[in-house]
Amino acid sequence: MNNRELVVKIFEFVGSKDNILRATNCMTRLRLKLKDRSVVDLEGLKNIEGVLGIVDDETLQIVVGPGKAAKIAIIANEILGSSDMEVSEDWKDNKKKVKSKHKENSFKRMLKTIGGIFIPLIPAIIAAGIFNGFAGLITNLQSTGSLPSNEVWNLIRLVFSLIGGGFLGYFAIFTGVNAAKQFGATEGLGGMIGAMTIMGQINDISQALGMYNLESPLNSILRSGKGGIIGVILGVWILSKIEKKVRKFVPDVLDLILTPVITLFLTVLLLIFVIMPVSGIFSDVLVKGLDLLVSSDIPVVSVLSGYILSAVFLPMVLLGLHHGLIPIYAVQLEAMGGVSLFPVLAMAGAGQVGAAIAIWIKAKKVGNSRLKNIISGALPAGILGIGEPLIYGVTLPLGKPFITAGLGAGFGGAYIMLRHVLAGAWGPSGIAAIPLMHPESMLDYFIGLVISYIFGFIITALFIKEKEIIDF
């Protein structure tokens, strides 16, 4: 089945294209916002060839795999009639329904907003991290004499640094633009807020106001970069509120001039005096707390924290809570020059790979060819760090393996934390994440994967009985 046929089939089981309000995608999923959820045939969707899993949430999420998700989203929008089709909802009919779900879904909406800000940036984050990693690897090899320090290698290193810095150096701006999209503000103004947080004039303003610590700039109440990504998101959220209020009383003929000027001035005052200092305190506390775990001189602390974080990550992915960790990754990257949390959590997928191999062996023994074929198709993606096919096709439906995979992953997470592994970016986990690690952490990351494979396999083999998978 080709991609267009897959889209047509999906539309058939969601109640035709007329039932679709919006079609978007993330790395592995086609996301459909629907008018009427009651007409969706979930079982039919699950059985479509090429569909790896279904997440029945506020937005229907159809897991199709990395790369493929973007392609079928383009086809879906071609069929719908635009690049980002969104049909107006009948809010009068849906008003009670929306209000009744408001409280219970507020936390989920917050996580989805965070995901909406950062998910579109993941390809750039991955590319920038890989190129920065290669640049660092060249530097390390040159320092040990393994590579010559000649013009050719120096030029290659500079080009790699340019590509990596082209994104990571201006991460705050990209975040500001995407946050503005999510909050309904003008995207250019959101980008300006992000840019202002990293500009040198912030330091000049801080010195003029007596908020700058000349002896220890990092401990200043206000400085360039203070508050990091958290400050940018809060700043743009406030910008969106102010912009909407201002637009209400500004005459239409003056809207283009007065609205952005008034909005920016008021937002920047709050940004300087409140948002950046307060979010800076929060970021500093967060980084220090994580640093205590990552850089702890007490091995027991590292082992326990690494084990627990890895063991509970799969349920967090299932509930969509993993999106809430992305700002923490960003804060770590800005403050520490690397991300310690991502390599630890990446072990969860490796534990699931080990669990799947154990189930495959048992399925072969009892003659369950259907389960064997599912695992055979999903396992390569799992090894490369795309866990949804194994989650929704194997471990979650079986139940126990979803738990044993996490228990096995914890051992790899403990090793990763004990070895203080750092990544230069975040993205898919598994083998595919090796280039994202700092050069000195690549081998330890790989060893952590192997440990998670082994223990995920052993624990699952011990606790899953053959009779549990005979009729699966």
Side-chain angles (χ1 to χ4, degrees):
M1 184 182 296
N2 62 38
N3 289 340
R4 182 166 289 275
E5 290 171 343
L6 176 58
V7 173
V8 171
K9 202 71 176 174
I10 289 171
F11 280 12
E12 177 186 333
F13 284 100
V14 299
S16 84
K17 71 174 187 177
D18 296 329
N19 192 39
I20 299 172
L21 297 170
R22 188 179 184 188
T24 56
N25 70 281
C26 63
M27 287 184 64
T28 60
R29 306 175 187 184
L30 174 68
R31 297 169 179 262
L32 300 178
K33 185 176 181 182
L34 305 174
K35 290 180 185 177
D36 184 1
R37 299 297 293 270
S38 65
V39 301
V40 176
D41 182 353
L42 290 176
E43 287 303 315
L45 281 173
K46 290 176 183 177
N47 292 324
I48 297 174
E49 179 187 347
V51 172
L52 305 176
I54 301 293
V55 180
D56 187 15
D57 207 340
E58 188 176 345
T59 299
L60 183 66
Q61 301 173 38
I62 303 165
V63 183
V64 293
K68 196 169 186 176
K71 292 176 182 176
I72 71 167
I74 292 171
I75 295 170
N77 281 305
E78 286 175 358
I79 295 173
L80 291 172
S82 75
S83 61
D84 190 18
M85 178 73 177
E86 183 156 15
V87 182
S88 60
E89 287 188 83
D90 187 349
W91 285 104
K92 290 183 179 179
D93 292 342
N94 289 298
K95 189 174 182 180
K96 290 182 180 179
K97 184 178 178 182
V98 171
K99 280 190 172 183
S100 67
K101 290 187 175 183
H102 181 77
K103 288 184 180 179
E104 62 178 312
N105 287 334
S106 59
F107 182 62
K108 277 191 174 183
R109 277 199 299 272
M110 181 190 74
L111 294 177
K112 286 177 182 176
T113 299
I114 292 172
I117 293 170
F118 290 105
I119 286 173
L121 300 178
I122 286 178
I125 291 169
I126 293 171
I130 288 174
F131 280 109
N132 275 346
F134 285 156
L137 183 60
I138 291 172
T139 300
N140 289 350
L141 292 176
Q142 285 180 327
S143 66
T144 60
S146 300
L147 279 180
S149 297
N150 56 32
E151 290 184 6
V152 174
W153 280 110
N154 288 339
L155 181 60
I156 293 172
R157 175 177 54 79
L158 288 171
V159 170
F160 286 173
S161 295
L162 171 67
I163 298 172
F167 174 78
L168 294 176
Y170 301 97
F171 190 20
I173 299 175
F174 290 104
T175 302
V177 171
N178 276 8
K181 287 181 184 178
Q182 292 298 313
F183 298 135
T186 301
E187 292 170 25
L189 300 184
M192 287 179 69
I193 293 298
M196 282 185 277
T197 64
I198 59 173
M199 291 182 71
Q201 287 93 327
I202 289 287
N203 292 337
D204 298 332
I205 293 169
S206 179
Q207 290 183 44
L209 295 172
M211 301 168 73
Y212 196 80
N213 188 333
L214 290 171
E215 295 181 0
S216 180
L218 290 178
N219 294 324
S220 301
I221 297 172
L222 176 67
R223 61 170 174 81
S224 176
K226 188 76 172 180
I229 296 303
I230 294 174
V232 173
I233 294 173
L234 286 174
V236 176
W237 179 71
I238 289 174
L239 171 91
S240 70
K241 299 295 183 183
I242 293 175
E243 184 179 10
K244 289 168 187 174
K245 293 286 185 183
V246 170
R247 187 157 276 133
K248 285 183 179 179
F249 68 79
V250 170
D252 292 345
V253 70
L254 297 174
D255 179 70
L256 190 61
I257 299 172
L258 289 183
T259 298
V261 170
I262 296 171
T263 299
L264 280 173
F265 181 70
L266 293 176
T267 304
V268 171
L269 288 179
L270 291 170
L271 187 72
I272 292 171
F273 291 105
V274 180
I275 299 169
M276 288 182 69
V278 172
S279 57
I281 293 171
F282 178 77
S283 296
D284 290 345
V285 170
L286 181 62
V287 169
K288 286 178 182 177
L290 290 170
D291 193 48
L292 286 174
L293 295 177
V294 177
S295 305
S296 175
D297 295 326
I298 306 172
V300 173
V301 173
S302 297
V303 168
L304 285 177
S305 59
Y307 187 93
I308 293 169
L309 288 169
S310 298
V312 302
F313 187 60
L314 282 179
M316 290 180 68
V317 173
L318 182 65
L319 296 172
L321 302 179
H322 59 299
H323 292 317
L325 298 171
I326 298 177
I328 300 177
Y329 295 162
V331 168
Q332 275 200 309
L333 186 61
E334 287 181 326
M336 300 167 56
V339 184
S340 64
L341 199 54
F342 167 66
V344 173
L345 300 179
M347 295 301 107
Q352 191 169 231
V353 167
I357 294 172
I359 297 167
W360 186 92
I361 292 173
K362 288 180 181 288
K364 182 181 179 182
K365 190 172 181 180
V366 300
N368 190 333
S369 57
R370 176 180 173 273
L371 182 55
K372 268 179 57 188
N373 291 336
I374 292 173
I375 296 172
S376 297
L379 203 54
I383 292 170
L384 291 172
I386 307 301
E388 282 94 339
L390 286 175
I391 290 177
Y392 299 108
V394 183
T395 59
L396 188 59
L398 279 168
K400 268 192 206 175
F402 190 69
I403 299 171
T404 59
L407 295 175
F411 290 93
Y415 176 81
I416 291 291
M417 191 68 88
L418 189 63
R419 297 293 296 167
H420 308 315
V421 172
L422 283 180
W426 61 91
S429 55
I431 296 293
I434 291 177
L436 298 178
M437 300 299 127
H438 283 188
E440 64 275 12
S441 293
M442 288 181 177
L443 179 58
D444 280 325
Y445 176 78
F446 177 72
I447 293 172
L449 288 176
V450 173
I451 292 172
S452 296
Y453 294 155
I454 292 170
F455 280 94
F457 176 89
I458 292 172
I459 295 176
T460 303
L462 288 174
F463 284 92
I464 303 301
K465 307 301 180 185
E466 291 173 3
K467 62 180 181 181
E468 296 179 60
I469 59 177
I470 291 176
D471 299 322
F472 176 78

